[in-house]
Amino acid sequence: MTKTYSKRWIPYILIAPTIVYYIVFWLRPVISAVYYSFFDENNNVFTLNNYITIFKDEYFKQAVVNTAIFVIISVTLEFLVALGLALIINKKFKGANILLSIALIPMALPAVAVGAMWSSGFATYGWVNSLLYHLGLITADGKIVFLAGSDFQSLMLIILIDAWQVIPFMMVILLAGLQGLSKESIEAGYIFGGTKFTVLRKITLPMLKSSIQTALILRIISAIQVWLIIVMIYGYRRIPVLLEEVVFYEEQLLGFYRVALAYSVIVAVIVSMVSIIYLKVSGAFEKEEQ
Amino acid sequence: MKGNKLLKQTLFYLVVAGIILVILTPIYFLVVISLMSDQEAYDWPTQMVPSFFNHFKLEIDGNKYLISVYSPSKKEYVSIIRTDNFDELQKFVRNKTNSNIKKEIFDIQVQKLNELYNKNKEEIEALRSQVNTLESKLNRVTVSTVKLKSQLEKAEKAGMENLISLIKDNIEKYEKEKATYEAQLKELNKQLEEIGSVKFSVSKNIFYNYVRFFQVTSNAWPALLRSIQVALLTVLISLTIGGMAGYAFARYYFKGKNLLKLSVLFVRMFPGISIAMPMVIILINMGFYDKPLGLSLVYSVGQIGMTIWITASIFMGISTELEEAAMIFGTTRLGAFFKVTLPLALPGLAASAMYAFIGSWSETAQAIVLTQFNPTFPVVVYQTLVGAKGLINLTAAGGVSLALPAVVFTLIIRRYILQMWGGVRV
Amino acid sequence: MKKLFIVLLVLVSLLAFSAQPTLVVSSRLWTPPTEKEFIINEIIKPFEEMYGCKVVFQTMDDETMLKQVKVQKETGKITTDVIIAYATKMPEWVKNDLVVDLTPYVSKWTDRHFSKGFDSMTVFDGKRYFLPIGADVYLTLINKKALQYKPADVDINDLTWEQLAEWANLVAQGEGEGKFAVTGVPIKSLIYQVGAIALSYGAHWPDLDNPGAVAAWYLVYKMKDAFSPAVKTYDDTRPPMKREETWMTVAHCARVGEVYKSNPTQFIIAPAPKGPAGRGSVAGTSGLAIVKGTKNFDLALKFLEYMTRPDIMVKSHKGTGGFIPPVDEAIKFLGNDEQDQVIKNAIKVMNEGVLSYIAPIWKDWGQVKLVYDEIFKKMILEEGKLDIDMLELYQLQIDAQRK
Amino acid sequence: MATLELINLSKRYGKKVWGAKDVNLKVNEGEFIVLLGPSGCGKTTTLRMIAGLEEVTEGKVIIDGKDVTYLEPRKREVSMVFQSYAVWPHMTVYDNIAFPLKLRKMSPDEIDKLVKEVAEMVKIEELLKRFPSQLSGGQRQRVALARALAVKPKIFLMDEPLSNLDAKLRVKMRTELKAIHHKTGATTIFVTHDQSEAMSMADRIVIMKDGKIEQVGTPDDVYFFSANVFVAGFIGTPPTNFFKMNIIGENGELHLKNEYIDIKVNDKVRKALEKYNKDEIIVGIRPENLLITDNKDEAIFREKILVVEPQGSHQVIAVELGNQIVKIVTPAFPKYSADELINVTLDQERIMLFDIETEKRLEGI
């Protein structure tokens, strides 16, 4: 036995760069962020004040509530529309490819462009009202004041705007899943007497489960961290959400950088908890163990 | 039965058309606005198509020229500047309407206007003074009407019946008066326009905003090249590192596989904004701060995870036997990968690369913190746009310029996007 | 696809880097592209030619600038030489020991005197760290369309707050919707807009528990229907004014100036309105400073000297927005041109006005701003009820921010 | 051409699962060996260990007297035809065949000659310029074969190469493969789960089950002298009929007997049973060794026909004994039909007896 020809180490060699990379460029900054979130900005002593500041802040509660509303409504809405779109595009019809191409465009738009688009659109004298006017749906005096609604309405508007951009992303994942399904098993559903709806509910969706899980978990994580679009349209603190508050503490107020770090830790904890609960409930863990 | 099917199909296509409209309308308007002049962009209602010509009206007012431009939205001429200096007028009109009035054209018009003005000088002056009186009368009546209206509201609230009818009568009287004045004013203005002004059209430079955007955005071209550099480096880093791990995922079983798989999610759980500052320190210590490489190192953190998922799914789609065959027939394991698996995975990998490319292409938030003298294109665009708050057309042009490459790339990889996500599992 | 990559790679590798003695200037002033273009081409170019150097002029917001320099200091690699920061951020710069004390150098310059009014912001413990540039006050901007509702006895150049409020209400009544703009988005300039009123009524701004402040809020309350319905989402009064969504505003002279200059035949510009105590306005300034640890100190000092020369100051301020040159000698260089309207009106406010500045006594000015934003949102927009007791409670929040 | 020796070759997955256990095999030069067994029996694992694609847990692989157990696949001088053919889709047929040769640093002329030669041998000369996606399954299979032939390997490995072809083509390819083997004389290890394939091609068949070799032998050996119940049951269609029977001595005669069947054994069987000292035994009778007779006395059982399956050349008759189906193969004529009562006897020369406990075949029979 001169030489041991073993390949058990190969996968570890292959994943080592990733792990090293994560440690250097992710874990290190995260640890330092977590570490400093427990220290006072001025005299560097251990303190819980950064966290106490947040929990005492009345906007914190609002931010949690708003974020929860945002996540629940937007994820549900986006999922349903994305699924619908994916089912439509998955049907072979003339122009399905064109529809896919078009549906992908919003995904590629940078935040700057999206902000310009909607803030010029939803201004009272913006293009949305202009379009409605040209179509004869409103009169010159009947302009809709989109941005003047109550906080809840504003949140709904944000959800719609956000959905416009995010749906394609979810749709792509679902569509990819749908195209990977075997046609026979769905056809079998029809053969054995299923209606369109029951086949969808009892056969297509369960088979699509892992794609749905992927789409939802990615979306939930990013939905909890929504902020830019809100700030671009409503500014800070009109519709407080978790990450908007982080950025607010970090960028808008002086000397609150470590509070912002503490806030980030809280956000990270919330995101992790939600993800773990989601993964548990959806059964992703069990599948892993098989 | 046949009719039913036709109806269903029509309905289906209507839904599809509706979806397309919803997606495209905002983008359409963004593009339209980017092609509009400052004057057009702030007019209400926003026109459905940008204009290709500007119609100007030139008048003499005092010793100065008063130039107006036709507003398709208002359906009337809107004055824009009063000056006696042609250079100033030319520059102003160019910035305002995206039309460049040439000296020769202007001179010809001025000559015409002078002739006209000299001929009708007294009449014009008389008309102007009439307009002035009328305007002040109108102003008085308007103010009174509005005041009465608010009194009426109060009276109605208080239920003073006798006052209500009195006020109503007055309002009616004033409104009649107002209507007459307005009609007269319109008539006078029309006469004034006929005898005291010349009109001419100049073509509009439809892409002026784009030209101007690149003019005022300092270092737009170097920034553009730098952005490409950053994006390519990101692709390189995330594809080599993530691709290796993706290959391990697809081909091997190893301890901690599931954990690593979920790490993609973990990386996303901590808000990226908050680690930007510690990251700056790390990069400075490594000597990568404000360098394209530094930026791509940061972008890769987010991209590697995605690349792992996507490449794993691509590699899973390539049969192991192909690789084994190559090994049997004389290549090493590495050779088999490079000669067989890699060429086969190339389309999918290219798509995944494009994905990473797009991701780093449009990123702004981190780039602002992580660069100083060597900003990326999105950063210079962003900086210009922050300053251009009151110039929505310029903003739109910047947004479109930034979005265009990303959109084009997305459409290029469209074919592969589905393949990329095909085997991705949480 | 391979070919595409190769082409891109070649393009990237063609990127050339030039090495020249350069001065790096980061500025929060002159961010609009047109202004930046003007400063670079008309002001900085002559300087570069004069001293045979290169100046990198970057614009960014105050926070980013501060963050960048802090990081530079922390890592010992100072790359920014000169900064132009806003008054409210100056204490932070000084506190973190990021800027150089310029007193010994400035005292030798005899041809210019910086406006005394800004010393409270730019001088710390008798040491001058910042040279004021681009000062600001508040001005009134009216779209000519509003003229039809103007009460007969009103002189726009001598407007009182009462008149403006009445006028704005008439416009709202006549048009069926409010046409007055303030920045309703939090942390923007509402506190200064209300401050202008409060100062006109003799308030001790930004406190809320004095008669002047109450009078100011009462005026704002009376105007509650005059504000544009979308006022809550304005982070800047420029877009609604240009869009003619609103017709009237009292705002920062640079913003107002920009809109005015976009169409001088359509807008009227005037000093901020008066009140019983006079023409109130919050004033502020930006300031030039040299970053501590710069390798190009001499060149940086030359740059500061150049930028604050009265003639250059007037030239740069005339060519850009509507800021005021805060050197006493500047007035000599101002012409009678119609284009000088904005600066003239601003100087009028600065000279005659009841001015106040943001004193460096606040832990966090943003929090104070937020109090105003909240009062405006709650009392004026939502409940439409002025509650003086509540003002006193809000005062507690303001006091909490005092150092 | 080379010899191959496997010594105690074992493969373990995880802690307990054995992919192959103590496989010992000696393959002579030019031999055509078929590894046969149900799926999961370890035949492919063994093949992959020979190829070097699977890490060996214990034991040795020796090719031509040289221990190659820890050698990389490319250094073993073997070639392989895969179940999915593994024809590289991004290369033309020509390149597919030439690629391994290029790796062996042959001159282009030599390569060209070789490619043409093997292409002719497997009849794909006219397909050389095509890409695999333009080929049918059978054509791809030939390409894979040509590729494997071209390198002139010491040992030729085939992993169920015919299983993805349709039935008719499979039979045709069998003959061709055999012919090619005859021509080249290459030592070949062929994995399959199809026993007719194994029987028709193999010089020797290695029957495996659960990672272990059950029997090694020529087709006739494994058919007529199956080493144990598993082999006897696995080889042959329809499968061998097994009966659990008691050994009973009656009137000086020895009977194998159960509820339905009564066999009066002949001398040969009696001799074999002498050394066997248990009461019960497993009797295996291949369907063709059960004979239908008119003589009631000869019959070992008498039963109604359940089903008749005509096969053209012969017919398969099924009867039900208790809940066991017993199959009988008889010539095409005379014709039988269901429900007909038949007397069945057997050819005792071909009876197989297995130990009730070890399931091993009793010696001497």
Side-chain angles (χ1 to χ4, degrees), chain C residues 140-284:
Chain C
T140 310
L141 183 72
I142 309 270
N143 188 313
K144 280 189 178 163
K145 286 190 173 155
L147 285 181
Q148 55 174 315
Y149 296 105
K150 183 176 78 75
D153 52 340
V154 169
D155 173 7
I156 295 179
N157 281 314
D158 210 21
L159 204 60
T160 67
W161 278 106
E162 303 283 346
Q163 286 170 336
L164 185 70
E166 191 198 357
W167 186 2
N169 279 329
L170 285 175
V171 172
Q173 184 78 39
E175 289 295 309
E177 67 177 36
K179 288 280 189 186
F180 196 90
V182 291
T183 51
V185 163
I187 314 271
K188 295 293 175 183
S189 51
L190 184 84
I191 193 167
Y192 312 118
Q193 289 170 320
V194 177
I197 311 174
L199 291 166
S200 309
Y201 283 89
H204 186 261
W205 178 80
D207 288 349
L208 295 165
D209 57 352
N210 57 67
V214 174
W217 278 108
Y218 179 62
L219 188 95
V220 176
Y221 160 73
K222 277 205 295 190
M223 288 173 74
K224 64 181 187 299
D225 296 322
F227 296 110
S228 158
V231 72
K232 237 174 22 174
T233 58
Y234 296 165
D235 61 347
D236 193 316
T237 51
R238 283 174 290 179
M241 285 303 283
K242 283 190 83 175
R243 231 181 244 130
E244 303 197 317
E245 189 171 322
T246 59
W247 287 351
M248 318 167 93
T249 188
V250 175
H252 190 283
C253 54
R255 314 270 176 283
V256 161
E258 191 188 321
V259 179
Y260 173 73
K261 284 169 82 182
S262 80
N263 188 345
T265 64
Q266 189 189 355
F267 294 103
I268 298 169
I269 200 163
K274 289 192 302 190
R279 205 181 291 282
S281 171
V282 179

Side-chain angles (χ1 to χ4, degrees), chain B residues 56-68 83 89 105-121 124 128 192-200:
Chain B
F56 292 105
K57 185 176 91 175
L58 192 64
E59 288 165 282
I60 292 183
D61 186 7
N63 296 322
K64 295 179 174 177
Y65 301 112
L66 177 67
I67 192 158
S68 311
T83 179
L89 181 136
I105 296 172
F106 187 72
D107 284 344
I108 294 168
Q109 298 301 332
V110 165
Q111 206 180 347
K112 262 201 241 166
L113 183 64
N114 277 334
E115 278 166 26
L116 202 64
Y117 186 70
N118 290 333
K119 199 171 82 192
N120 303 323
K121 194 169 182 176
I124 290 171
R128 278 195 181 142
L192 202 55
E193 206 173 301
E194 270 167 28
I195 60 167
S197 71
V198 286
K199 288 174 186 168
F200 60 101

Side-chain angles (χ1 to χ4, degrees), chain A residues 21 112 130 210 225 264 288, chain B residues 46 258 268 274 297 385 425:
Chain A
Y21 202 93
V112 178
S130 302
S210 60
Q225 302 189 23
S264 307
E288 298 293 335
Chain B
T46 314
N258 293 332
R268 300 180 151 232
S274 305
L297 282 173
L385 298 188
R425 300 284 180 271

Side-chain angles (χ1 to χ4, degrees), chain A residues 107-109, chain B residues 231 235 303 351-363 405-411 413 417:
Chain A
M107 201 163 88
L109 292 186
Chain B
V235 168
Q303 295 296 346
S352 157
M354 284 289 187
Y355 213 69
F357 192 96
I358 293 166
S360 72
W361 173 264
S362 34
E363 204 286 334
V407 171
V408 170
F409 284 147
T410 308
L411 295 187
I413 61 168
I417 282 186

Side-chain angles (χ1 to χ4, degrees), chain D residues 130-146:
Chain D
R130 296 212 197 156
F131 278 96
S133 56
Q134 299 161 303
L135 302 179
S136 72
Q139 287 169 328
R140 277 184 223 182
Q141 214 273 331
R142 283 163 191 272
V143 175
L145 198 58

Side-chain angles (χ1 to χ4, degrees), chain A residues 59 123-125 145 147-149 151 234-238 248 250-254 256, chain C residues 63 67 89 177 179 184-187 229-230 232-233 243-245 364 367 370 374 377:
Chain A
Y59 282 98
T124 312
Y125 282 62
V145 190
L147 300 178
D151 290 354
Y234 285 101
Y236 289 98
R237 289 239 150 154
R238 273 289 175 254
F248 177 78
E250 190 182 327
E251 311 239 308
Q252 298 294 311
L253 301 182
L254 283 177
F256 280 86
Chain C
E63 286 81 13
K67 217 182 265 176
K89 302 284 175 186
E177 67 177 36
K179 288 280 189 186
V185 163
I187 314 271
K232 237 174 22 174
T233 58
R243 231 181 244 130
E244 303 197 317
E245 189 171 322
D364 180 28
Q367 304 265 38
L370 271 179
E374 209 174 304
K377 187 184 171 215

Side-chain angles (χ1 to χ4, degrees), chain B residues 319-333 335 339-341 343-344, chain D residues 48 51 53 73-74 78-80 82 84 86-90 99-100 103-104 147-148:
Chain B
S319 158
T320 356
E321 290 197 340
L322 293 175
E323 240 173 88
E324 287 172 352
M327 279 162 68
I328 297 253
F329 289 116
T331 66
T332 56
R333 181 164 282 275
K339 294 215 167 92
V340 174
T341 313
L344 288 173
Chain D
R48 288 168 59 85
L53 295 172
R74 65 195 171 102
V78 299
S79 78
M80 187 160 168
F82 290 82
S84 66
V87 175
W88 300 305
H90 58 304
F99 179 71
L103 289 171
R104 280 170 173 69
R147 181 176 63 183

